[in-house]
Amino acid sequence: MGRQDGDWSDRWEAARARAVIGLTGLGRGLADLVLPPMAHDSREATQAAGLTADAWNRVAFLEDPVCDGCGAAFEYDGGDFASERCAACLASPYRFTRCRAACVYDDASRGLILKYKHGDQQQFAGLFARWLGRAAAPLIEQADAVVPVPLHPARLLARRFNQAAEIARPLARSARLDYLPDALQRTTRTASQGGRSARGRRLNVKSAFDLTETGARRVRGRRILLVDDVLTTGATAEACATALLDGGARAVDLAVIARVRTAREVPR
């Protein structure tokens, strides 16, 4: 009977380890059996660290077909002959080549992202990295390295962590890509982008980013996946992409947790 009990236990542990996302060993699986993980958005115990079913169902995840240039959802699949880009991206392309967002930035996702960004709830980093791993899969497949949008040192000191870097690190690791957290530096402590017009945002971050000596050595000739939290107008991402491209990067793509619905409008 003892041998049968041992076989059953081994099978149970193996099945449990496979079912829990992100497990790196049997020890973690056993810990989850004893102390079930909590949902990130509540005190509710869940099968695996993540969101409650209610929070998950309210997030508007972006699925194909989406615009290749800004990640906006198309209302319908136009077929083989439809353009891969929305009218705004055709009229005025971003400096970065392609973009993917995991979800829409709305009432459902905003609270989760702000908890992570300003509430020091770093447990969201792994979850958001998994979302990007799925949404940005076409970009990841062609990327050579992953670069997070940097914070100014003063803001990093106040916030204690760079939200983009904490997502980019596990994303690069799972995709087995080079992770370059110090390729870019923010040389100017800009004011908040909140409440600014698209033009105001562009002016606010113009020349705010520069390539570091490390970046100058490691981005040349490579396709870079730039990671940030939210795409609003694209001003910050464009400023970063410009610095990377001026430093010799072959191309820059962008992956963000969420994008606002009105991130792109046809220029007038």
Side-chain angles (χ1 to χ4, degrees), residues 18 64 109:
R18 289 192 299 269
D64 287 335
S109 64

Side-chain angles (χ1 to χ4, degrees), residues 10 23 32 38 50 52 64 79 138 178 186 204 235 247 251:
D10 291 343
L23 289 182
D32 284 350
M38 307 299 293
T52 58
D64 287 335
D178 280 355
R186 194 161 191 154
N204 190 42

Side-chain angles (χ1 to χ4, degrees), residues 105 117-118 149-151 155 159 163 186 188-209 228-240 260:
Y105 190 66
K117 188 173 180 178
H118 298 297
V149 170
L151 291 177
R155 186 161 293 170
R159 193 175 291 173
Q163 74 278 358
R186 194 161 191 154
T188 304
R189 187 180 183 182
T190 55
S192 172
Q193 294 279 65
R196 296 176 183 268
S197 65
R199 181 175 182 275
R201 285 172 176 263
R202 288 194 297 271
L203 292 174
N204 190 42
V205 296
K206 186 178 180 181
S207 303
F209 300 93
D228 203 4
D229 50 10
V230 178
L231 173 69
T232 305
T233 63
T236 297
E238 281 207 292
C240 290
V260 301

Side-chain angles (χ1 to χ4, degrees), residues 124-141:
F124 281 98
L127 178 68
F128 291 151
R130 293 195 295 273
W131 288 7
L132 283 191
R134 179 175 179 273
L139 280 54
I140 294 170
E141 288 176 0

Side-chain angles (χ1 to χ4, degrees), residues 42-168:
S42 79
R43 300 298 298 170
E44 179 181 327
T46 57
Q47 181 182 10
L51 304 179
T52 58
D54 179 62
W56 178 271
N57 289 332
R58 287 188 286 110
V59 174
F61 290 101
L62 289 166
E63 306 286 348
D64 287 335
V66 298
C67 171
D68 199 43
C70 69
F74 287 130
E75 293 184 4
Y76 57 90
D77 189 342
D80 294 339
F81 299 101
S83 173
E84 295 182 346
R85 306 205 165 211
C86 67
C89 284
L90 288 173
S92 180
Y94 281 123
R95 288 302 309 276
F96 48 86
T97 305
R98 299 177 297 172
C99 174
R100 291 295 185 277
C103 64
V104 174
Y105 190 66
D106 56 14
D107 290 342
S109 64
R110 184 183 300 111
L112 303 175
I113 294 172
L114 292 181
K115 283 180 181 179
Y116 170 61
K117 188 173 180 178
H118 298 297
D120 199 24
Q121 296 193 26
Q122 297 183 42
Q123 71 273 15
F124 281 98
L127 178 68
F128 291 151
R130 293 195 295 273
W131 288 7
L132 283 191
R134 179 175 179 273
L139 280 54
I140 294 170
E141 288 176 0
Q142 296 184 18
D144 299 308
V146 178
V147 173
V149 170
L151 291 177
H152 187 272
R155 186 161 293 170
L156 179 60
L157 183 63
R159 193 175 291 173
R160 300 197 301 164
F161 75 105
N162 178 353
Q163 74 278 358
E166 295 304 311
I167 300 169

